[in-house]
Amino acid sequence: MCCARRRPHRGSACAILIRAAWFSRIRSAIGEPPLDGEAPRSGGGGAPASGEDAASHGAIVNDGASHPLSHAARDSSPIEGERGGYQFDVPLLDGDHVTDDAGTGFVHTAPGHGADDFVIWTKHFGQEGIPFTVDAEGKLTNQAPGFEGLEIIQLEGKNLGKDGPANKAVIEALIAAGALLARGQLKHQYPHSWRSKAPLIFRNTPQWFIALDKPFRDGKTLRQIALSEIERVDWGQHRWGAHKDYNRIKGMIEDRPDWLVSRQRAWGVPLAIFVRKSDGALLMDDAVDARIVDAMKQGGADVWWATPAQDFLGNDYKAEDFEKVEDILDVWFDSGSTHAFVLGDRDAPTRASFKNPEGVIYLEGSDQHRGWFHSSLLESCATRGRAPYDAVLTHGFAMDEEGKKMSKSVGNVVEPQKIAQQNGIEILRLLIASAEYGDDLRMGKTIIDQASETYRKLRNTLRYLLGALNGFEESERLPKGEETPLLERWLLHRLYELDGIVRKAYETFQFREAVSAIVEFCNVDLSAFYVDVRKDALYCDAPASVRRRACRSALDEVFSRLTAWLAPILPFTAEETWATRFPSEPSVHLRLFPETPAAWRDDFAGEEMARLREARAVVTGALEVARREKLIGAALEARPLVFVADESLRACLEAIDFAELCITSGINIKAGEAPADAFRLSETPGVAVVIEKAPGVKCARSWKYFDPASADPRYPDITPRDAEAVAAWDARHGAPLDARCGPVHKPGHGALWSFHLGNRVCARSDQQMAGAGRAEIQPARLPRGGGELPLPGNFPDLRSAHGLEPWHQLWPVPRR
RNA sequence: AGGCCCGUAGCUCAGUUGGUUAGAGCACACGCUUGAUAAGCGUGGGGUCGACAGUUCAAAUCUGUCCGGGCCUACCA
């Protein structure tokens, strides 16, 4: 893309390309004969004038000198004496640029005078009879008899840019002739250089064109080839049925006039052609061409100007018989030719020579329909008979928060660099990846803050996964099988579904579909449901428990995919996460998206979990009411009574641990009629919930309420499940239980108490144990970018004693 | 002025061949939790689908007009 925007290099291959000579020169205004030196496929002699045609593009010289009164008579010699040559009719034409409410609707036409007049004239008369009254120097020519050599605008000295002598001379001549009816000054803005602000004038001048409607290749015209290539290329219409880019380029190619390729500029790539002075024929001679090509290979495109014509012409032609055309080539031709050196077939370009094994996609802003996409298409269709790309992807433009274009004078410019500095480049990437980039993109505080929050959610999820997977080993892995709980079957099924969505999204460049699917998965499936439910197993189950192993195995697959799927959008975050867990592995960016086994597809688990979650929503709704009524605080304080009318749903609920899903201490599922005041949701008829307080005592470890009579005598204040885990842990570490679970079993034993939760070690102070507070080993404030976890100063032994590994290694990003 | 587009909640987006009460996430408010804590969970409010007119039993969806916005219509890339 960038090459399309760069200034052309003079040494590029473009000058060689155009020697194919499928372009021609138009000089009809001075009645030149058709150029018989042209190749058969050249054309454009009768090119319609239009916005891209000669007269409309003049830059240097004023139209003032080609005042109608100064026109040469069309049917007589242009010069008839000192003040002669001005006796002719000026046609009055019906022009679109003059309306009948602002005037008569008719134009007193001066085709050498300006673009509109040129267009209306050529519509009626072709290019016959249009004089060239101004030369390249900005001076009147001999076709303005009596005023030859006068400057329109002064090009040098202290009055640079001011009126030259021509204007005054013409006015004086009109006065002398008694033909001046009125005079006055009008200030207007239009003809100024957009860049230098210098005044401009129009002039008409001979130009070179590439014909679009002349058959040249298998009897087809350039326009026909380009149009059929537009059908082949994927502008989005094949990928996702979006026709906007296809419509736009197609309309442009259908309607455009011949390609004006010559420019009167001091710099650029020369057309590098000779025209015979006697008849205007283009010199087509392989030996001459070879000399030009060789010289350019040696010295770049500048040699065209630096080398005498005779050196190129050799012994067969005389320099004085030829005009060495010094016009340069339209710079679009340069960028349109980029494929020639990128794809490397410039020596013998043909359709077959085009090397694009992987397919070629052009990516640029949607303004390039008029630019790079366009010129590349025409140039390549002419030289290779095919478009240089197989697909085109466009994007819109960055607007301000209101959707208005950014402008320095309005002061609504949002600079990407600032977002990168203030919020981080990943946020900007995420913002763009989640937007419909084909349309315009609004930039402002709201959307940046939003992307920021989304990023934090993703980062936090990854951070949690790192903690949850700390120490995960292959021996722990539980591949999907008969032992796999429904919850994990469902999670793998979700990964299977996501795999399809994400792959398709990337393949079709619909990045926001990948982002929204991933973000929604993290929020809705992982954070609000799966992880919330599985925290109990993760923290409290014994490491060998099937449930915990299934959970960690599934989370490992989640980790593997999330890091890969996010890598293209959040390259640094994905790498940081990956490297934190696998410091010796190659970069995350060298991975492919992990293959997802088809066996993970589990429609039964998907449907079953959908029903369960619907029923769960009724329970959480009921819990919310109980909470408002101060019956409970945490959900674990409740034991809901769930009335289920539908038998199959009831079986479904009973087949699994529904309390686990609802994160309550037990649950009672009943078939009978629910009390009238039971909680119901209109979306889920047939389910009604009454919240009861959970009986029993609170487990010191898992916080679940349980019947103390069921407790292991060795661990009276924790549930049997927790007792099993603690016993296993202690057996493995060979240390007395109460040394680490002191606060649980022997309050007041010391200043610090530790106990373990799954693979983690937690600690509390006496005060905290006595009071309500509970202090886990807090992740300390670390500089961004991570680092070693420094434990609080009073915990040094704890860490070494228990082999505590830092698991908060991916640090949160401060909210801004 | 013409060509190609865009307009659904405060924001980013879904919304199938027209068919239940227009959805999701974020944001916001309230509550819970304090073992993801610069975190986490729950509940809730919020939309005359840019406006108007038409076609239809039925329109965010089809048609027309208008309003607002963008790109292009450069001897800028």
Side-chain angles (χ1 to χ4, degrees), chain A residues 370-426:
Chain A
R370 196 39 154 184
W372 194 40
F373 305 146
H374 195 119
S375 58
S376 300
L377 177 69
L378 290 182
E379 180 278 316
S380 187
C381 283
T383 56
R384 273 92 170 153
R386 57 158 287 161
Y389 36 72
D390 303 293
V392 172
L393 184 60
T394 70
H395 59 79
F397 294 80
M399 299 296 143
D400 75 358
E401 194 138 32
E402 265 81 52
K404 298 264 177 74
K405 107 203 292 187
M406 293 187 192
S407 129
K408 272 184 192 162
S409 54
V410 178
N412 59 348
V413 176
V414 182
E415 289 182 37
Q417 293 91 330
K418 274 205 176 138
I419 300 173
Q421 276 168 13
Q422 290 176 359
N423 302 83
I425 192 70
E426 300 275 271

Side-chain angles (χ1 to χ4, degrees), chain A residues 454-464 573 576 785-786 810-813:
Chain A
T454 307
Y455 174 77
R456 291 163 52 80
K457 183 70 191 185
L458 290 172
R459 189 180 175 86
N460 235 337
T461 303
L462 295 170
R463 193 168 65 105
Y464 186 84
T573 307
E576 187 185 359
L810 195 66
W811 300 103
V813 176

Side-chain angles (χ1 to χ4, degrees), chain A residues 9 79 191 201 213 296 372 442 548 566 658 777 792:
Chain A
H9 294 293
I79 303 170
I201 47 182
D213 295 312
M296 286 198 181
W372 194 40
R442 293 180 178 206
R548 190 165 182 277
L566 288 172
F658 193 47
I777 298 169

